[in-house]
Amino acid sequence: MRIRHSTTVNAPRELVWDYINEPDNYKDFMEGITRWDVVGDLRSGLGARYKMLIRVGSAEVGGLIEVVEFKQRCDMAWASVTGVDQRGRWRLRDAGQGKTRVEFRYAYGVAGAGILGLISERVAAPSLSGKLKQSLISLKDQVEHERLRQEAALRREATSKP
Amino acid sequence: MGDTVKGGSRTNGGAPASNGGGGLPDRLASAVGSAPALGDALGGARRFAQGTAGGLAGKLLGGIGSRLAGRLEANLDDRDPDFIRERLPMSWLLSTLWFRGEVRNLANIPETGPVLMVGNHSGGNLTPDTIVFTLAFNAYFGVERPFYQLAHNLVLASPVGPYLRKFGTVSASHEHATEALDAGAAVLVYPGGDWEVHRPSWESAKVDFNGRKGFIRLALGAGVPIVPVVSVGGQETALFLSHGSRLAQLLGVDKSLRLKVLPISLAIPWGINIGDFLGHLPLPAKITVEVLPPIEIEKEFGADPDPGEVYAYVTGVMQDALDRLAAERRFPLIG
């Protein structure tokens, strides 16, 4: 099952990238995420591993994931190592006027689960899609607030100079 | 891990239960030394059958018994992570859509290492609390983490026994549990077992281990923490009326088959359901499970603790949690 949501964030791409590249932020902006813990020494980048769980229905599902694609300020993709099969991808593109187009793609399932697997994917889709959509809204809010904070800091710095 | 355990003795690869002489029931009784209740029960059944219907009934029981004995061997390697993983969607659908399962505070379970999870048991022979919790555990920690559930002998001897073994269900005995804990596994035990699971529905919010303290000896012996697991809602999946302990006495099955309970309930599709041997269609009651913080017995009660004191403490904290969960429920079934 595939889910895709996108939004335009009124902030430069670097700022969005820095935010999604920080594992500690995921529990703040990803709706339903109960764990996003770094596993191993690598905190981010290609090969970084995380134990992630998201509440869907009566269980927290997820597992160990690994970053399999990492293009600075453009693309970050992960795939599951253990747990349910999943692939996730952030795509960041310039949208002009200092804005960033953010796209999130998520595919999930359980290989070998047969017809009940397909049914459960369908049943879980509305809830999961809603959570991921809300996550992008939260991401947009958080990053745009961060941009405002940075701009305010710059203004203060400029006015404080003699 | 791949060893087969039979009554505390191990063989490699599941040799025949016994090659000794005597009739099948006798051989069975010796083969299931690790499952004394069933061994006693079948021994009683043999005497009962021989006393009433002669050798034919004894042979029949013996034939059944030898099959059951095979099913009660605990081979930890029977647990199949791939099998469990492929059935997670089925468990998820059942748990989510039918029981609206909610499992809280799984993070209280130590992330790694052996642990003895002690639960109150509800819902008759279909045990919806186990379905909901097992799914939650496997999803949270991953099917790679070894996780075993102790079950009544008759559950594993039933037609679904081989299926449950792949999920990590083993017949309840001290030896089997110790074997699993020594292998570093998480083990789920319901001390109240068949007694508690058939308690009347109006005692839904009561922890009733019937005085069984074996889990304390088990945790102490293995040096593992106890993690209480409290659930509510299972007793609303049917109208459980009585343990039926008097009925069991009246019919003599407490002596002939060593069945201490013969539960009576009102359940779909049977109406009056005596014994619950064929299960029932559970009502879609909301099942809520809460995992409590671990209890390190030796740290909290010293190196030589009084089992009675530990029992009172464990059941006490579980009862407090169950009272709280029950108070959250506004309506039966709906939760």
Side-chain angles (χ1 to χ4, degrees), chain A residues 46-102:
Chain A
L46 191 66
R49 288 185 163 197
Y50 308 101
K51 169 80 186 241
M52 66 80 69
L53 292 169
I54 183 167
R55 180 168 288 285
V56 184
S58 66
E60 294 169 65
V61 298
L64 183 67
I65 58 173
E66 180 176 319
V67 175
V68 293
E69 190 179 331
F70 191 83
K71 291 179 189 165
Q72 284 282 357
R73 294 180 291 279
C74 280
D75 283 72
M76 178 165 55
W78 68 80
S80 54
V81 179
T82 64
V84 297
D85 300 307
Q86 57 169 308
R87 287 185 68 87
R89 174 182 292 272
W90 291 109
R91 277 171 64 89
L92 272 54
R93 298 292 184 267
D94 284 330
Q97 299 176 321
K99 296 180 181 177
T100 305
R101 181 78 178 160
V102 178

Side-chain angles (χ1 to χ4, degrees), chain B residues 22-202:
Chain B
L24 281 171
D26 294 323
R27 286 154 54 190
L28 169 66
S30 63
V32 294
S34 65
L38 187 67
D40 290 347
L42 289 164
R46 178 202 61 198
R47 290 189 294 275
F48 175 74
Q50 285 177 340
T52 54
L56 179 61
K59 283 182 181 175
L60 279 173
L61 280 171
I64 296 168
S66 60
R67 285 184 61 197
L68 300 187
R71 289 183 177 184
L72 293 178
E73 294 168 4
N75 186 344
L76 300 186
D77 207 30
D78 282 346
R79 182 180 182 276
D80 186 341
D82 292 329
F83 178 87
I84 298 168
R85 184 175 178 277
E86 288 165 3
R87 275 143 193 89
L88 285 179
M90 179 190 71
S91 302
W92 182 84
L93 285 168
L94 186 60
S95 177
T96 300
L97 299 182
W98 195 255
F99 295 119
R100 291 165 291 138
E102 180 184 351
V103 181
R104 304 172 183 169
N105 301 339
L106 278 161
N108 278 330
I109 299 170
E111 190 73 23
T112 56
V115 58
L116 182 64
M117 295 174 288
V118 176
N120 66 314
H121 211 7
S122 304
N125 286 347
L126 293 179
T127 65
D129 49 359
T130 314
I131 294 170
V132 170
F133 182 75
T134 301
L135 164 75
F137 186 98
N138 284 321
Y140 190 91
F141 291 104
V143 296
E144 295 79 13
R145 182 173 184 179
F147 169 42
Y148 295 91
Q149 314 88 42
L150 303 185
H152 194 284
N153 293 332
L154 290 178
V155 174
L156 283 157
S158 73
V160 296
Y163 183 83
L164 294 177
R165 291 167 76 118
K166 292 185 178 183
F167 269 99
T169 307
V170 295
S171 66
S173 79
H174 190 87
E175 290 77 13
H176 296 168
T178 301
E179 172 84 358
L181 291 170
D182 287 349
V187 173
L188 173 65
V189 62
Y190 295 111
D194 56 344
W195 175 263
E196 186 177 40
V197 84
H198 294 298
R199 70 190 183 282
S201 291
W202 49 90

Side-chain angles (χ1 to χ4, degrees), chain B residues 224-300:
Chain B
V224 300
I226 286 175
V227 174
V229 178
V230 180
S231 69
V232 72
Q235 231 53 10
E236 296 168 12
T237 56
L239 182 58
F240 295 91
L241 300 172
S242 169
H243 295 108
S245 51
R246 285 189 181 179
L247 181 62
Q249 286 176 2
L250 192 68
L251 295 176
V253 294
D254 63 325
K255 290 178 180 169
S256 61
L257 292 173
R258 297 290 171 97
L259 286 175
K260 298 301 180 192
V261 296
L262 203 55
I264 305 165
S265 61
L266 287 177
I268 300 172
W270 316 111
I272 292 180
N273 183 18
I274 297 175
D276 201 24
F277 294 117
L278 296 175
H280 58 273
L281 181 65
L283 298 173
K286 178 176 172 59
I287 306 292
T288 306
V289 184
E290 184 168 318
V291 181
L292 304 182
I295 300 169
E296 305 265 3
I297 299 178
E298 287 201 16
K299 276 187 188 171
E300 297 187 29

Side-chain angles (χ1 to χ4, degrees), chain A residues 102-123:
Chain A
V102 178
E103 183 179 339
F104 183 67
R105 297 174 184 169
Y106 190 68
Y108 64 96
V110 176
I115 187 74
L116 290 174
L118 295 174
I119 293 170
S120 65
E121 289 171 26
R122 292 277 172 188
V123 171

